[in-house]
Amino acid sequence: MVLLTWIVGVIALAFVGFGFGAATDNDFTGGDSGSAKAQALIEKHFPEQQGDTLTLAIKAEKGIDDPAARQKIEKVIADLDAVDITGPVTSPYQDEQLVTDDRRIARTTIPLTDKNVKKTEVKPLVDTVKDASGDGVVLGLGGDKAEKAETPPQGPAESVGVLAAAVILFIAFGSLVAMGLPIATALMAILGGIALIKLVGHVVPSPDFTVLVAALIGLGVGIDYALFIVTRYRESLDTGDDPETATVKAITTAGHAVLFAGTTVVIALLGLIAMGQRLMTGVAVGASVTVLVTMIAAVTLLPAFLGFTGHKINSLRLPRRTSRRQQAEENSSQVRRTPAERWAGVVQRKPLLATVLAGAALLVLAAPALSMRLSLPDASVQPRDRSSYTSYEIVSEGFGPGHGAPLIFAARTGSGGSDLGPVVEAVRKTEGIAQASAPRVSKDGQAATFMAFPRTGFQDEATADLVHKLRDDVLPEVTGGEKVHIGGPNAGAIDFSEETSTRLPWMVAIVIVMSLLLLVALVRSVTIALQAAVMNLLSIGAAYGVLVAVVQWGWFGSALGFPTEMPITTWVPMMMFPVLFGLSMDYEVFLISRVREEYELTGDTRAAVTRGLARTAKVITAAAAIMIAVFTTSLLGSDVSIKQIGLGMAVAVLIDATIIRMILVPAVMELCGKANWWMPGRRTPANPVAAEAGVGEEARA
């Protein structure tokens, strides 16, 4: 009944969600920023300027007036002008301002008649332009819609991630059946989760990358949650329990931890709402829905699968060359200590040294994060074979890189904006401005606008400094305090980055506090919860540092698929933090809950940490390997922002599963001793029976 309910439910959700789901929304403007106010004025008073545009860039070796070149150029313009989704196209032969002085480079703007034009409708235009290049004429089609149309889907990345997870699970379990259950559970849950995202989009809009991020996170946590439960189920079977009893034990132990871990991830993701940004709220809700579905699947769908498999969970095993003598040694109670136990012993003998070395390593890795710059990707950071990059390169060569980063000034008439002549002149004389257009007044006479082009590009830090200079010094001086707003994609990206930097500490604080409360409720220890928070912050900081070194500084960037050095995409670090904090808490929950079980049996913290680490080392290592494999496969895709978040999360999980779980946790817990289990108002030992029996730490000492 449970399996049938899941199958029917997911099919119904997929039909409704993918058939009637909401369209994505990629407009990050809004709020109270200067760019948002400029955009609002333009939308209200200049409706004819609404809609996206494309930029056709032309470079001819012999000049655009060469007969062969002109014939080719005019044919391309005619083909673009004849398409239903484009408006009238002005030929560069009709406007001298669209051609450089040497007449080798030209550009023209192609308006799109529909703001919601689909990528599939723009792709033929890109192909037309690319196919026309050659014989001394280079053509490129730029613009946001062209970039998206030309960006291929993520491709085989998710499939490669699933395959890698399958291999890791097969090695860990040694059984095809045990391998298949976590993957089947996760895939079914992700399908249902993505369908729900589409439906929730009608209420909470989200950008187009939400589904990719949700699939990435859902695949990782979904497989991991099922992995922990299946591992506990097999352990119970090995001790002689029947399948039903083993399932009950797995759900009441590992399943209990899954519910806490999943809830932590959901709460951490919902912390993005604190950013106060409409679309990031959509990302938070969408990703949370997917994690919630995977968590529910782990404790409902997976037990149903276990009901079918029973003892056959170990069927189709990996061939092992194990002698009877070796098997007897493995089954013997006198078996030697595992490598994890021996490692824990090494760390616990020198806890202070281990803590200092591990902490120093994390701080060194985190150091580059101090120079992090945020921006949104544009054509300049796209792969070099893209038509959008060709367009950017041609326009930058002929008209300057600032033509890809225009600043749009807007003001109400009668409030310092009725005569923008002095403002235009002041802006034109500002150092860093290459060109400024004449002002235009709206048809209703209520607003005026003009455009200026900086000398530096969209991603250049000097461009952001120029916007601040104009807002803080130039405009107030020339307008006498009246408001002239600076908008456009460039200013919007700058405002988005600064708003993110301002509100990020609030989100961090909210996520930490909520996660601490959950962890205290689970492990009943304030000390361990604080340890987890500090360690998670260190691992996330280290991941930020590595991301900056690779993406922004260019260390091994080309080898990892990044076309050039670039700032970190604005939404990546704020998306990474709640996800990674939640995932780090996952490992903390699974490790500490096992340590807690051992402590309640013995009352000995050192022994509990050693045994807890030994019993979870294999499964946490497998879980981390799956996460790393899934996140790393994002590097196979083409979206530079998805590559960044995949790389950052893979690095963070690697650090968390090694330096944090294998070194810092046992070392810090050894240093804290009985203080690990401190809880306000609790005066008696957690295990008074063990303490009375003389097996507590003081008795052992």
Side-chain angles (χ1 to χ4, degrees), residues 1-14 188 191-192 301 305 308:
M1 287 181 62
V2 172
L3 180 59
L4 185 61
T5 301
W6 264 96
I7 292 174
V8 173
V10 169
I11 291 175
L13 270 177
M188 192 173 293
L191 180 59
L301 178 60
F305 280 139
F308 284 105

Side-chain angles (χ1 to χ4, degrees), residues 147 151 373 375-386 388-390 392-393 458-460 551-552 561-569 638-641 643-644:
E147 287 180 34
T151 301
R373 283 202 308 117
S375 183
L376 293 175
D378 71 329
S380 66
V381 300
Q382 300 300 322
R384 300 308 186 239
D385 60 344
R386 300 278 177 83
S388 54
Y389 177 77
T390 302
Y392 159 79
E393 192 176 36
F458 194 99
Q459 304 294 342
D460 201 310
V551 177
Q552 192 172 308
F562 294 99
T564 185
E565 299 171 11
M566 66 186 79
I568 307 300
T569 299
S638 53
D639 190 308
V640 292
S641 299
K643 285 173 180 278
Q644 289 179 24

Side-chain angles (χ1 to χ4, degrees), residues 492-534:
I494 293 169
D495 289 341
F496 181 39
S497 300
E498 292 180 351
E499 189 176 354
T500 297
S501 301
T502 302
R503 297 192 179 186
L504 190 60
W506 289 102
M507 184 198 72
V508 170
I510 291 172
V511 170
I512 291 175
V513 170
M514 296 302 295
S515 300
L516 283 179
L517 292 176
L518 270 180
L519 194 58
V520 169
L522 176 64
V523 301
R524 301 187 299 282
S525 168
V526 173
T527 306
I528 289 178
L530 291 174
Q531 290 174 9
V534 173

